[in-house]
Amino acid sequence: MDKTDVIIIGAGPAGASAAIKLAQGGKKVVLIDRGMPIGSKNLSGGVLWGNDLHEIIPNWQLEAPVERTIVNKKIGFLSVEDATVLDLHFDSWDKENYSGVSVLRAKFDEWLANEAQKAGAAVLSGIMIDSLIIKDGKVVGVKQNDEELFADTVIIAEGSNARLLLDHGLMKDPSKHRFERKEMLIGVKEVLTLTRDVMEERFLLDENTGLAGEFILGNVPDGVKAGGFFYTNKDTLSIGVVIHLDSLNSEVRSYEVIEYFKQHPLIAKYIKNAVSVEYGAKTVPEMGYDNFPPLYGDGYMVIGDAAGFVFSNGLVIQGMNYAIKSGILAADTIIEGGDLKNYEKKLNNSYVLKDFKKFKKVKKLTKNKRLFELYPTGINNALKDILTERGEPKQSLIKKALKAMKQSGIGLFSLIKDGLSARHI
Ligand SMILES: Cc1cc2nc3c(=O)[nH]c(=O)nc-3n(C[C@H](O)[C@H](O)[C@H](O)COP(=O)(O)OP(=O)(O)OC[C@H]3O[C@@H](n4cnc5c(N)ncnc54)[C@H](O)[C@@H]3O)c2cc1C
């Protein structure tokens, strides 16, 4: 076989979902991934909000290798010694069909690729596509070493590094050879083992329920803008940091930032006696609505991280849901007749581009140095001052809070400005 209906490059959540939908729609589809087994190179924190998976695999949670249903969220600000944490418990999330679950990507991606195979897609693992084949401006196939495979449509689902898009100049600005540092984050993640009993006791969990913690880090060297996260799996903990690439300098390495997070007194208690069993780093695109590459062109479409579909607001990172949805919409476009401009229309009508459009100003907030350098300390100091009894005459709470904020470097005007830009969240 040297020609098929569709070739998909990359079997992450985006590519595998597109493959399932296409195979279900009767298309001949080849899904190709460099990982062997599929998923072995993939890394993410990972809380999966898999609403869209129900469309292609009804009740997928019952079969998929999910770890725990997230019912508890901790959201907070860490200063060097202190932590202010909002502790949210939503037991009802465990009863709803569309809840968020923690997943380990190595297992999950392998399972999803198997589902694509079961649906009828040809799945090829351990193959790294070197280049696209472009004839008269149209993408007509892919190449690995001297081997060529042709298709009516190629779907590019290669993830955040998007090497093929860059190599072939399929960017918004074709003169760009790399994504700019200011448009990228880097995630560093570890998996730590804890026995199931310890995990459930330490995090107050039932057999299947789980916890997601997300924090703004004020306990890292000055200038570094980073968030930290941990997610409970069955008997492991995914823990990591996501750092703005342009905030790293030659004196601070990404692998040091995760150590700052792990050494914070609050986090150190959570991970006591845990042993590291997996470690990795991966880029995360943060291009925003105005900087996506062309989402389709003659003969091809771009889905998932390769298109830049990751939402981040400093605390939360979501990309798997957008990956799955964009994959399904790309597949629908082909099934319905193949006019590729309909893909962008479908994205515009779905929550994918609506979200990125609506929240495009959030990027300004997540780039704000004060969010990372001053607020974690300011908030902790303000609350500590309000709540500490020092045997002195009482002051009004607001006065105390403003004074503590000012001492931490945040003046009233900055507070007002940042309050205004926070309305975009
Ligand atoms: C530390 C971290 C934490 C995160 N946490 C979350 C979270 O909690 N929730 C969430 O929703 N999202 C999270 N994300 C984002 C999420 O991981 C991505 O948005 C998601 O994986 C995108 O899926 P994708 O299929 O587009 O790309 P990927 O998952 O990156 O898959 C791309 C696939 O393409 C393959 N590939 C690449 N190039 C080639 C080639 N040339 N030939 C063949 N195969 C190729 C790769 O092997 C890979 O399997 C996190 C990301 C990071 C880094």
Side-chain angles (χ1 to χ4, degrees), residues 9-15 32-35 41-48 105 109 127-129 157-160 163-164 187-189 229 231 241-242 282-284 303-306 309-310 317-321 323:
I9 307 163
I32 304 173
D33 198 281
R34 63 183 175 175
K41 292 191 189 304
N42 293 353
L43 171 132
S44 105
V47 176
L48 168 67
R105 288 289 300 277
D109 287 11
I127 295 178
M128 167 112 173
I129 297 302
E158 59 179 333
S160 60
R163 191 181 52 80
L164 295 171
V188 182
K189 183 201 152 193
F229 64 83
Y231 305 124
V241 289
V242 178
K282 184 176 178 286
T283 51
V284 181
I303 62 177
D305 271 20
F309 296 154
V310 179
I317 283 219
Q318 279 181 10
M320 290 187 265
N321 50 338

Side-chain angles (χ1 to χ4, degrees), residues 110-128:
E110 192 178 12
W111 171 80
L112 199 59
N114 274 336
E115 291 297 304
Q117 194 153 25
K118 276 203 255 166
V123 180
L124 309 178
S125 59
I127 295 178
M128 167 112 173

Side-chain angles (χ1 to χ4, degrees), residues 281-303:
K282 184 176 178 286
T283 51
V284 181
E286 200 202 21
M287 300 159 168
Y289 185 77
D290 294 324
N291 294 313
F292 293 142
L295 301 173
Y296 69 94
D298 206 359
Y300 76 95
M301 287 179 277
V302 189
I303 62 177

